[in-house]
Amino acid sequence: MTTARVESDTGSWSRCAGCSTMHYAKKLARTLGVCPDCDHHGRLTAAERARQLVDDGEFTALACRVLATDVLGFTDSRPYRDRLVDARRATGLGDAVLCGTGAIGGVGVCLAVMDFRFMGGSLGAAVGELITRAAEVALRERRPLVVVTASGGARMQEGVLALMQMAKVSQALAGLRAAGVLSVAVLTDPTYGGVAASFATSTDVVVAEHGARMGFAGPRVIEQTIGQRLPEDFQTAGFLLDHGHVDAVLHRRDLRGWLSRLLAATRPGPAPDGVPDAFACDPGDLAPLDPWDVVAAARDTGRPTTLDHIAGLVDGFVELHGDRARADCPAVVAGFGLLDGTPVAVIGHQKGHHTKELLARNFGMPRPEGYRKALRVMRLAARLGVPIVTLVDTPGAYPGKDAEEGGQSLAIAENVLAMFELPVPVVTVVTGEGGSGGALALAVGDLVLMFERATYSVISPEGCSSILWGTAESAAEAARALRITARELLGMSVVDGVIPEPDGGAAADPAAATANLGAALRAGLAELSAMDPDDLVRARRARFRAFGTAGLLRDA
């Protein structure tokens, strides 16, 4: 696979490595180094990259200079010390990374930007030390850390000391994680070896630039070592997104804006103002509805989906993708945004309004990677001190063979368990169908609400009818017996409140339903945000501890 870059033929013209077209250098600078003909993303110097990312190009380098030395006395075809001298002269850098501070979208950040021109961006002691110092500044000043990677891997001329830099930088990231300071990796082409297997993928958020390639071993090494033929898109940004390894793939022109929204939506802020009487807390205030009619309403494809609610309520939403292990799951949406200026994490099942969309979203039935993605975002929100909103609308977890192979039961169990440890407010709203464990995996909240025409059940009415009645034809009777409506569940304290729906239901006026949801979320978050984190966890555990103890159990 050829190395992709824009090569300079003269001082004023450059040749695109993607399509070989010659471009005037000033024109290429206006397109941020992206070929206007083939959209190839050419390589940038560290200084160019830093200027592109920070507001007004105002980047301040760290006041330190760290230089590598030839500890091993290493010589291959040339002495290592000579290679260092040449690289410094050619790039004007002390080593393969430029570190400093600036602002992105008005949020102060620490930046560590690698430069592939310096010995292939290889990770040696100086690079590890500089990135670690940048992380330490980020920790001390509580600034998010943004690392831009471009590397062939660890620097062989420094032997095992280069290998140790993987752990050295990782311990610095662990410090940021423990302190609740956000870290972000921006993968550029190429990112391989020790960099890929450490700080490029161990940050809180990982985003790949369009055209980037990332992997532990390069394609040539893999093919020569095990003789395996690789697919054309192997290790490309799209491949990484499909396999759940990155949160997003972005065009260079969109990168700074995306980072700006992410940074704004992950900073703890004041709770929104509460809204009185945003939801009903007394079953007597609700009109009784026929459960089978409610089932039909909950399943109506005209009801607003999670993405519809987000579009109507949440500003600057940044969706994150993938479980970082296996794949992405389109049946679960997860990310960060602003509710009335307050950062929130929003996680929800996603269905659709028509057959094509329903098929693409697997009818809102998550696979294990969907639950793992949700948990990854919840844990990130918890570290950052950002409240969590979960929107439940699923017939249940996907029951397919691949889901079982991926550990469906384990994924659900881990979510249910882990949600009891989250030290931030969690508001759950059942917006449509709340189907069994597939719903509960997103529904362990401090405050659990339902829409008036939503359902929440241990099994679908059809499933219950088939098992207990021996036929699916008694589904309506099963729905009535299961007590699955909001009014009934409020009476059993399974939910804490019921959100009213407009006349004719949420499908009749989706905008009004979303507005009612917003009022309920504001009220819930205003109350919960005043609580101490330890009290939140204790109250959440006590809430679920109480189920089944009133009227159902008695001591023998």
Side-chain angles (χ1 to χ4, degrees):
M1 187 177 293
T2 59
T3 298
R5 64 183 184 275
V6 174
E7 298 173 342
S8 182
D9 283 5
T10 70
S12 58
W13 291 88
S14 293
R15 184 186 304 277
C16 173
C19 64
S20 298
T21 302
M22 295 292 291
H23 295 290
Y24 190 49
K26 289 185 177 179
K27 177 181 179 181
L28 205 57
R30 288 194 296 270
T31 62
L32 307 179
V34 178
C35 176
D37 290 345
C38 72
D39 209 39
H40 172 75
H41 284 48
R43 286 199 190 125
L44 299 175
T45 68
E48 289 171 336
R49 177 75 65 175
R51 286 194 297 270
Q52 285 185 11
L53 288 179
V54 299
D55 297 349
D56 301 320
E58 295 183 1
F59 174 81
T60 302
L62 293 186
C64 61
R65 183 171 171 84
V66 178
L67 299 177
T69 58
D70 186 11
V71 175
L72 303 183
F74 193 97
T75 299
D76 45 66
S77 59
R78 295 181 62 209
Y80 175 42
R81 61 180 180 274
D82 291 349
R83 293 187 183 277
L84 287 171
V85 170
D86 289 349
R88 289 167 187 155
R89 183 183 298 116
T91 64
L93 297 172
D95 216 296
V97 68
L98 178 64
C99 298
T101 59
I104 300 178
V107 178
V109 299
C110 279
L111 280 162
V113 186
M114 302 189 76
D115 196 315
F116 195 79
R117 297 174 304 155
F118 197 110
M119 297 186 67
S122 51
L123 172 62
V127 173
E129 177 66 19
L130 286 165
I131 297 176
T132 298
R133 292 191 188 188
E136 290 168 347
V137 172
L139 178 60
R140 185 167 60 250
E141 300 182 1
R142 298 199 66 81
R143 293 170 174 254
L145 175 69
V146 178
V147 182
V148 183
T149 64
S151 176
R155 189 168 296 175
M156 292 175 286
Q157 292 90 340
E158 295 186 17
V160 75
L161 293 176
L163 181 68
M164 292 302 104
Q165 302 310 306
M166 296 169 61
K168 178 177 180 174
V169 178
S170 294
Q171 64 80 29
L173 290 179
L176 293 177
R177 179 172 294 194
V181 177
L182 180 72
S183 60
V184 182
V186 179
L187 308 182
T188 73
D189 188 61
T191 299
Y192 280 101
V195 171
S198 58
F199 55 87
T201 51
S202 57
T203 53
D204 295 317
V205 176
V206 180
V207 56
E209 186 176 71
H210 179 74
R213 295 166 295 152
M214 190 273 288
F216 182 59
R220 186 187 309 171
V221 173
I222 295 172
E223 290 178 340
Q224 291 178 351
T225 302
I226 63 175
Q228 185 176 6
R229 187 173 181 83
L230 303 173
E232 284 294 320
D233 68 342
F234 187 66
Q235 296 180 333
T236 63
F239 177 94
L240 299 173
L241 183 65
D242 291 343
H243 288 79
H245 301 317
V246 299
D247 288 292
V249 174
L250 298 173
H251 194 283
R252 188 173 292 166
R253 64 171 175 266
D254 300 321
L255 182 56
R256 194 168 78 88
W258 191 92
L259 290 172
S260 298
R261 295 194 302 275
L262 175 71
L263 295 171
T266 52
R267 304 181 75 194
D273 294 332
V275 179
D277 303 322
F279 47 84
C281 298
D282 185 345
D285 294 336
L286 300 169
L289 300 171
D290 181 79
W292 190 237
D293 291 339
V294 173
V295 169
R299 294 172 176 174
D300 193 325
T301 56
R303 291 181 75 86
T305 66
T306 289
L307 285 175
D308 293 330
H309 288 310
I310 288 172
L313 294 174
V314 181
D315 296 324
F317 183 69
V318 178
E319 184 176 354
L320 304 182
H321 293 272
D323 64 352
R324 295 278 183 93
R326 177 182 168 101
D328 187 39
C329 175
V332 173
V333 169
F336 291 87
L338 299 172
L339 176 64
D340 294 340
T342 298
V344 291
V346 184
I347 300 153
H349 301 98
Q350 177 65 22
K351 288 184 178 177
H353 297 299
H354 49 75
T355 301
K356 184 177 180 180
E357 187 177 10
L358 286 164
L359 287 169
R361 298 286 181 175
N362 203 34
F363 295 87
M365 295 187 292
R367 290 176 165 83
E369 46 268 29
Y371 293 115
R372 292 181 180 123
K373 171 173 65 175
L375 184 55
R376 183 170 70 83
V377 173
M378 285 190 278
R379 283 176 166 159
L380 174 56
R383 290 199 299 274
L384 299 176
V386 174
I388 298 167
V389 172
T390 63
L391 304 180
V392 173
D393 185 15
T394 180
Y398 182 64
K401 175 177 175 289
D402 60 331
E404 291 298 319
E405 291 173 342
Q408 185 72 288
S409 298
L410 177 62
I412 293 171
E414 182 64 19
N415 275 34
V416 173
L417 179 64
M419 290 187 77
F420 284 109
E421 302 171 352
L422 299 171
V424 292
V426 181
V427 178
T428 292
V429 182
V430 182
T431 62
E433 290 184 278
S436 192
L440 183 62
L442 297 187
V444 179
D446 302 297
L447 180 70
V448 180
L449 307 174
M450 285 182 71
F451 269 98
E452 190 176 5
R453 289 178 172 82
T455 63
Y456 197 3
S457 179
V458 68
I459 192 172
S460 69
E462 293 87 348
C464 179
S465 175
S466 297
I467 294 171
L468 298 183
W469 275 263
T471 174
E473 296 178 0
S474 298
E477 186 176 355
R480 299 181 185 104
L482 285 166
R483 305 288 182 91
I484 61 177
T485 68
R487 182 175 184 270
E488 293 166 318
L489 294 169
L490 181 60
M492 291 187 284
S493 299
V494 172
V495 299
D496 304 298
V498 176
I499 302 172
E501 297 193 22
D503 292 340
D509 191 345
T514 294
N516 291 350
L517 171 63
L521 293 178
R522 294 179 187 99
L525 290 172
E527 179 180 348
L528 294 171
S529 295
M531 294 180 65
D532 178 81
D534 291 338
D535 291 339
L536 277 172
V537 171
R538 279 193 291 267
R540 193 182 307 144
R541 292 178 178 176
R543 182 187 187 282
F544 285 85
R545 168 68 176 85
F547 289 132
T549 58
L552 183 63
L553 300 178
R554 66 180 178 87
D555 292 330

